[in-house]
């Protein structure tokens, strides 16, 4: 089983539940429609990876997201993560009305920072991405269509979350193709204090 780091310990999530189309500007960025109900899909444990691979049969796109770790019937820890996407394949699947898993749930499609325990998931959480020193993405809970508590309620209405499962809460505008050799620095703050970061060079 693939693992993530939580407060210095290795945790093996049984699954990753992802929220799609949770930021209005990103929806417009990809020429999608604002959904009438929450868009959810899953990645398997095998999706977890430590590297950013820029090409897997086709160009891979990055989407930085606030990630929440579930334990004790609540979200107890936070981190940042990349929902990596085969965008061209996803577009073909959407045009045919087919599921996205081939474009979203492939091995190596989820890369996470360390998770940090927090007392509260609140609006002071903010994350940002720089690519080669240039600002690319910036997001927070206030910009989300569905906030974390609503996301948790919706998931648990039809699916059981196990201790250690991860929820990826959607990406803001500014997504793009990974470029081999470029540096991707993702940071997560709460009350303007740095909680964690993810600093990787794409391969």
């Amino acid at each position: 089983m693939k693992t993530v780091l939580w407060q210095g310990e290795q945790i093996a999530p049984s699954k990753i539940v992802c929220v799609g189309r949770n930021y209005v500007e990103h929806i417009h960025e990809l020429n999608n429609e604002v959904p009438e109900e929450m868009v959810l899909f899953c990645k398997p444990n095998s999706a977890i990876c430590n590297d950013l691979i820029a090409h897997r049969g086709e160009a891979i796109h990055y989407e930085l997201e606030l990630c929440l770790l579930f334990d004790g019937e609540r979200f107890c820890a936070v981190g940042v993560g990349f929902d990596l996407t085969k965008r061209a394949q996803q577009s073909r699947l959407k045009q045919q009305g087919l599921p996205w898993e081939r474009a979203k749930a492939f091995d190596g499609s989820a890369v996470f920072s360390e998770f940090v325990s927090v007392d509260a998931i609140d609006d002071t959480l903010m994350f940002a991405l720089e690519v080669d020193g240039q600002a690319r993405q910036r997001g927070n809970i206030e910009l989300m269509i569905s906030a974390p508590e609503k996301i948790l309620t919706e998931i648990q209405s039809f699916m059981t979350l196990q201790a250690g499962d991860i929820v990826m809460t959607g990406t803001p505008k500014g997504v793009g193709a990974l470029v081999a050799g470029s540096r991707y620095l993702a940071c997560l703050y709460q009350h303007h204090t740095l909680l964690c970061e993810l600093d990787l060079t794409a391969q």
Side-chain angles (χ1 to χ4, degrees), residues 36-67:
E36 294 183 2
E37 59 183 357
M38 197 179 301
V39 176
L40 296 169
F41 60 94
C42 290
K43 293 177 183 272
N45 175 274
S46 63
I48 298 171
C49 183
N50 294 322
D51 302 310
L52 291 178
I53 308 298
H55 201 277
R56 293 177 180 270
E58 67 174 74
I60 300 298
H61 282 225
Y62 63 83
E63 299 182 2
L64 185 66
E65 310 196 6
L66 172 66
C67 300

Side-chain angles (χ1 to χ4, degrees), residues 64-100:
L64 185 66
E65 310 196 6
L66 172 66
C67 300
L68 307 172
L69 193 143
F70 179 83
D71 189 48
E73 296 306 312
R74 69 184 185 95
F75 292 136
C76 63
V78 295
V80 288
F82 287 105
D83 170 13
L84 301 177
T85 304
K86 295 181 178 180
R87 186 72 69 207
Q89 186 174 45
Q90 184 191 31
S91 295
R92 292 193 298 270
L93 292 169
K94 287 195 297 185
Q95 289 172 1
Q96 298 172 53
L98 297 173
W100 299 353

